[in-house]
Every structure is written in C-alpha cells, then in structure tokens.
Amino acid sequence: RSEQQGLQVLSALDAAKTQWYHFTAIVVAGMGFFTDAYDLFCISLVTKLLGRIYYTDLSKPDPGTLPPGVAAAVNGVAFCGTLAGQLFFGWLGDKMGRKSVYGMTLILMVICSIGSGLSFAHTPKSVMATLCFFRFWLGFGIGGDYPLSATIMSEYANKKTRGAFIAAVFAMQGFGILAGGIVTLIISSAFRHRGRLRVAHHPHARGRSGAAHLLLADEDARDGALHRPRRQERQKLAAADMSKVLQVELEDETEKMDEMVSRGANDFGLFSPQFARRHGLHLVGTATTWFLLDIAFYSQNLFQKDIFTSINWIPKARTMSALDEVFRISRAQTLIALCGTVPGYWFTVFLIDVVGRFAIQLMGFFMMTVFMLGLAVPYHHWTTPGNQIGFVVMYAFTFFFANFGPNATTFVVPAEIFPARLRSTCHGISAAAGKAGAMIGAFGFLYAPQLPLRARRGQPAGVHVHLPGAGGQREVAGGDVRRGPGQRGPGTRRRRAAVHGLV
C-alpha cells in the first residue's frame, strides 16, 4: 500500500462538513480557556485589595500596596505552575490520551480555584503564602489546558476550517478576561451603592474576603467542561464513535493501523535526529515567537491598573476608597477588553483560513510595535490633561493586534504542524516558552526598578512598569513601600483600620 494512504477515519474527519459537533467541541474545550484567563488575570484586581487590607501603614498618606517581592510572587507564581503544567501534561497527553488527561487538569483547577479564594490564614505572610501555594497548583492545571485543548480541537476539526476552530477555542480567553472585569464591576458597584462595606469582625473572615469575591463565577463555567466522554483506547471503538458523529459508514481498520505502526517509517522520538531534521526549526520558531509575545502581552495585562493611574486616567489611590478604586480599574479594563481584546480574537477566527497564519502573525507583531512606539516615544505628551483618551485608544489597539496576530497564531500553529504522537508535547514546549516570557514580564518589570542605582538616585523603590518593546524604558507607575530602620511592619491594628476604611 502507498505510504500516503491514511486511515479512513482521519480522511473522513479532514473532509467532513462543518457540523454541530464542531461547535460543541469549541464550547467544551473553550470553557477551559475561559476560566484560565479569568484565573490568571483577575489577580491584578485582587492585589489592590490585598495591599490595602494587609499592608496599610497609617503613618503614611498613601493606602497600602503589596511590597515588590510579594507582588511579584502573587502575580508570577501562577506562571511558574503553568510552565511546569504545560510541559508535564503536554507529555502526558501523548502518553495517556488527550481527554482523560484533560479531565485531570480541570479537576485540579476546580480544587485550587476554591483554595485560592479561601486563603486559610489571617496574618499578611501566611495569607500570601497560602495564596501563592494554591495559585501555583492552579497554574499547573491551567498549563495542561493549553496543549490538550489545542490538540483535541485540531484533531476534531476538518482541514478547511481547522485554523478557525482552534482560534475559536483560544478566543474564549478574551471572554474570560472580559468576565473578570464585569464580575468585579458588579460586585464593587453593589457594595458602593450600599454605602458601607460590612466586614466580619473576625480577622479570619477579613483574610478571605479580599481574594474570594472575584472567583464567584469560576466554577459554574467549568462544569460543562468536566463532563467529557472517556478516550476510546481501541481503534475499532473510535471508528464506531466517529461513524455516528460524522454520519458515515467507517470500517474497522485495526489491521491497517497495526501495519502502519509496524512499518515504523515515522516512529521517531522527540530527541531523535529525524525529529530535529524534520521539525527542529518548527519547534524553535513556535517557542521563540511565543516567548517574545508573552513578555509584552502579560506585562500589559497585569499592569494595566498602574498604567491607567500613571497617565491620570484613573485618580490616585489616596483620593479614593478601595471600592471606588477597584470599580474604576475594572471599568477601564473592561472597556479595553470589550473594544480591543475580544474583537482581536474574533478577527483572527474569521480571517485565519483566508489570510493565513504567517501573514496574521507578521502583521500583528508589526502593528504592536508601531502602537507601542507611538505610546512610548511621546510618553509625556500622553500624561498631560486632555490626551489620555488618545493614549487609551492606542493602548487598546496594541491588544487588538496582539490577538489579531501572534497571541492567536502562536497557539494555533503548534497544534497543526507536529506529528500526532508528539503534538501535545511539542505544543506544551512552545507554550512553556511563552510562559517563560510571561514570567519575565511579571517578575522583571517589578524587580528591575529595585536596582541599587535607582535607590542611590533617590527614586522610590516601589513598583514601576515599563512599556515593553517600545524602543526605550518609560516609567509609568510607582509606589513607595520602604520603611524606616526602626519602623514595624503592618500589624493587626493598621490592617483593621484599612478594612473599616474600604468605603
């Protein structure tokens, strides 16, 4: 038989018309990405409340903020877990099957989401430690969702619309980001209109309130993704299942499959010379582009709140209560997501199979660079009164072209170009490289300003954010968290005052 002759079930999938099961697969696989984005990005809103509750110093006029080390840990620890999860579950998905491993990741996310919302302590150090612990394992589960969702959708889709279907799964990330802002808006508005936030007098209750309220919608969205059919280990049963789905008659091809395996022409491993020759450059390319993108993409998402304050679009924290501050930040982030982030994803969905992966990725990187240069070079112009709207519009365009560009294509391409038995592993390696870039964005832009040179110049040693990829560093946010030599850290009395001063 010819080397090019494939299994009938695979040919039927490639040639199948778009049917209802395609959309079902998009929604089921996409629910994981919806909650991934919700979990990863809502923390930027939670940290504002955590800083006020646990790190307020009444001897200073400004409300409390998380120290740089704590802020870096809370923001970045989930990325460390995600990187490890992408590598582990990507490999496991090729060994045990996509769907069974996918169920493991979703269960892990459910458990750790609950644990993150109920930090089991009341002192600042213990609350942050337990929060970081659960967020690491939450990220570990989220990491498995990346390669498994992409691979499942890639193998269910037909050839003609495969790119659009995989991109549609990833587009649920945009709805997760949007949902995080909307939930925060609703909750903060409800408490603001009540006129007073009633917090239980027991310190343990206060410790939980800061992080839990943004995770309310998290579990319901996962329920639909948990009920998945088990992977059919036998090829005969798989053919029978696909016969029902595709509504065509498929033969039992067990013998044919055994013959294809026995020939061993493509039976090479990840670290073999054959893989390096055929797919080595592909893997380097997908990993490198994902790494470079996520440095900018995640730093922009995590530090939006600081950027909006630095350009005076949002008032300084000292002029607002905690609820007013969270309301204004979530409103700004929701506006950016609605006008820039979400439309970018769906432009990719509708055009990726028309324009092509390479063209969209190249165009997205180019336009992101253009708009970031437009923000960074005349930065002081944007901070003057009356120019903030122009800044916000250009800032939204950076998100639009990130998602109508490399943020989507870096997810789609690894799910298509690698051999099936290594597809999940290679996608996990590519995604892990991206999370390494995200860690640079989360940790680097917090720690870089803490260099001794900055301290010697008399500049505050707080959090400073720099717009990435803009031909130069532009300071856009800061906060002093230093204490005098004999000054105590925030204690229970100061924390209690911060809680009662939320409104």
Side-chain angles (χ1 to χ4, degrees):
R1 298 180 183 179
S2 171
E3 290 290 336
Q4 301 299 322
Q5 185 177 12
L7 293 172
Q8 185 183 5
V9 63
L10 301 181
S11 301
L13 278 170
D14 282 341
K17 295 181 179 179
T18 300
Q19 300 177 37
W20 182 251
Y21 81 89
H22 286 117
F23 298 104
T24 303
I26 289 172
V27 173
V28 170
M31 282 300 98
F33 268 100
F34 176 91
T35 51
D36 291 352
Y38 190 105
D39 284 326
L40 287 177
F41 295 116
C42 74
I43 194 64
S44 63
L45 297 167
V46 174
T47 52
K48 282 291 185 181
L49 293 178
L50 294 177
R52 291 210 183 215
I53 293 173
Y54 292 107
Y55 292 92
T56 291
D57 187 343
L58 297 181
S59 66
K60 296 182 178 180
D62 292 328
T65 58
L66 294 181
V70 176
V74 172
N75 282 310
V77 71
F79 297 138
C80 299
T82 302
L83 188 152
Q86 286 164 337
L87 295 174
F88 176 74
F89 286 115
W91 167 80
L92 198 63
D94 284 330
K95 295 297 182 181
M96 294 181 57
R98 321 320 190 189
K99 295 180 185 176
S100 58
V101 178
Y102 191 38
M104 299 178 193
T105 67
L106 293 171
I107 293 172
L108 182 60
M109 284 192 285
V110 169
I111 295 172
C112 293
S113 292
I114 297 173
S116 297
L118 301 174
S119 299
F120 304 100
H122 62 280
T123 63
K125 183 180 292 186
S126 55
V127 167
M128 298 307 155
T130 56
L131 179 61
C132 288
F133 173 82
F134 283 112
R135 280 190 62 79
F136 174 86
W137 290 107
L138 173 64
F140 193 72
I142 288 173
D145 196 35
Y146 275 74
L148 296 170
S149 292
T151 304
I152 289 171
M153 194 65 247
S154 173
E155 293 170 349
Y156 267 89
N158 58 53
K159 185 181 296 186
K160 183 178 180 181
T161 57
R162 181 171 293 139
F165 287 163
I166 301 173
V169 170
F170 193 59
M172 296 298 178
Q173 186 181 72
F175 289 128
I177 296 172
L178 183 63
I182 292 174
V183 170
T184 311
L185 276 175
I186 293 172
I187 294 176
S188 58
S189 296
F191 281 116
R192 287 171 76 233
H193 288 305
R194 287 180 61 184
R196 179 178 179 82
L197 178 62
R198 295 179 176 86
V199 180
H201 291 286
H202 196 279
H204 287 68
R206 292 189 210 103
R208 294 187 181 99
S209 64
H213 80 285
L214 289 179
L215 297 170
L216 294 178
D218 206 22
E219 306 311 322
D220 291 340
R222 298 189 199 277
D223 290 342
L226 281 173
H227 300 288
R228 311 288 178 91
R230 293 182 178 274
R231 178 174 175 82
Q232 301 296 331
E233 297 294 333
R234 300 180 183 274
Q235 193 271 339
K236 181 177 180 180
L237 294 178
D241 289 343
M242 295 314 299
S243 294
K244 297 177 183 178
V245 172
L246 299 173
Q247 299 179 354
V248 296
E249 188 67 28
L250 296 176
E251 300 176 357
D252 177 11
E253 297 179 301
T254 304
E255 293 182 1
K256 182 177 179 181
M257 183 176 181
D258 291 340
E259 180 183 344
M260 294 173 65
V261 173
S262 65
R263 287 200 300 265
N266 295 318
D267 191 20
F268 49 81
L270 179 64
F271 300 104
S272 65
Q274 293 93 328
F275 179 87
R277 184 173 61 254
R278 297 187 184 188
H279 300 290
L281 287 178
H282 296 160
L283 186 57
V284 171
T286 56
T288 303
T289 52
W290 211 331
F291 171 82
L292 295 174
L293 166 75
D294 277 4
I295 295 175
F297 183 75
Y298 278 88
S299 61
Q300 280 188 296
N301 270 290
L302 290 174
F303 300 125
Q304 281 187 64
K305 60 186 185 299
D306 304 301
I307 294 173
F308 296 150
T309 302
S310 72
I311 64 168
N312 301 314
W313 192 37
I314 295 176
K316 302 296 182 184
R318 71 179 66 178
T319 66
M320 301 179 288
S321 69
L323 289 175
D324 287 334
E325 183 182 20
V326 171
F327 175 82
R328 289 172 180 268
I329 292 172
S330 59
R331 183 176 62 184
Q333 292 190 4
T334 301
L335 181 64
I336 294 292
L338 196 60
C339 298
T341 304
V342 174
Y345 283 109
W346 290 97
F347 265 70
T348 301
V349 172
F350 292 117
L351 295 176
I352 190 170
D353 289 313
V354 178
V355 179
R357 285 77 165 149
F358 179 76
I360 289 178
Q361 182 160 301
L362 193 63
M363 178 268 298
F365 270 124
F366 176 77
M367 295 304 296
M368 286 177 68
T369 302
V370 168
F371 282 107
M372 287 184 179
L373 285 171
L375 293 173
V377 174
Y379 172 71
H380 292 292
H381 165 77
W382 298 119
T383 61
T384 56
N387 296 326
Q388 292 91 345
I389 299 302
F391 181 97
V392 172
V393 171
M394 293 185 66
Y395 191 65
F397 270 115
T398 66
F399 283 100
F400 176 83
F401 284 107
N403 297 308
F404 182 39
N407 193 41
T409 55
T410 52
F411 178 81
V412 173
V413 173
E416 296 180 311
I417 62 175
F418 296 108
R421 68 184 176 285
L422 297 173
R423 185 172 295 148
S424 180
T425 301
C426 292
H427 196 286
I429 293 172
S430 302
K435 285 303 170 287
M439 290 165 61
I440 292 176
F443 291 119
F445 295 135
L446 286 169
Y447 277 120
Q450 311 306 316
L451 298 175
L453 179 61
R454 181 176 292 276
R456 288 199 298 270
R457 291 177 177 174
Q459 297 177 349
V463 176
H464 298 261
V465 182
H466 301 268
L467 292 177
Q473 294 184 333
R474 303 283 178 172
E475 183 177 304
V476 297
D480 193 350
V481 296
R482 291 175 295 179
R483 301 189 182 96
Q487 187 175 351
R488 289 192 310 134
T492 303
R493 181 180 60 83
R494 287 190 294 271
R495 192 163 61 252
R496 182 180 297 115
V499 173
H500 288 296
L502 284 173
V503 295

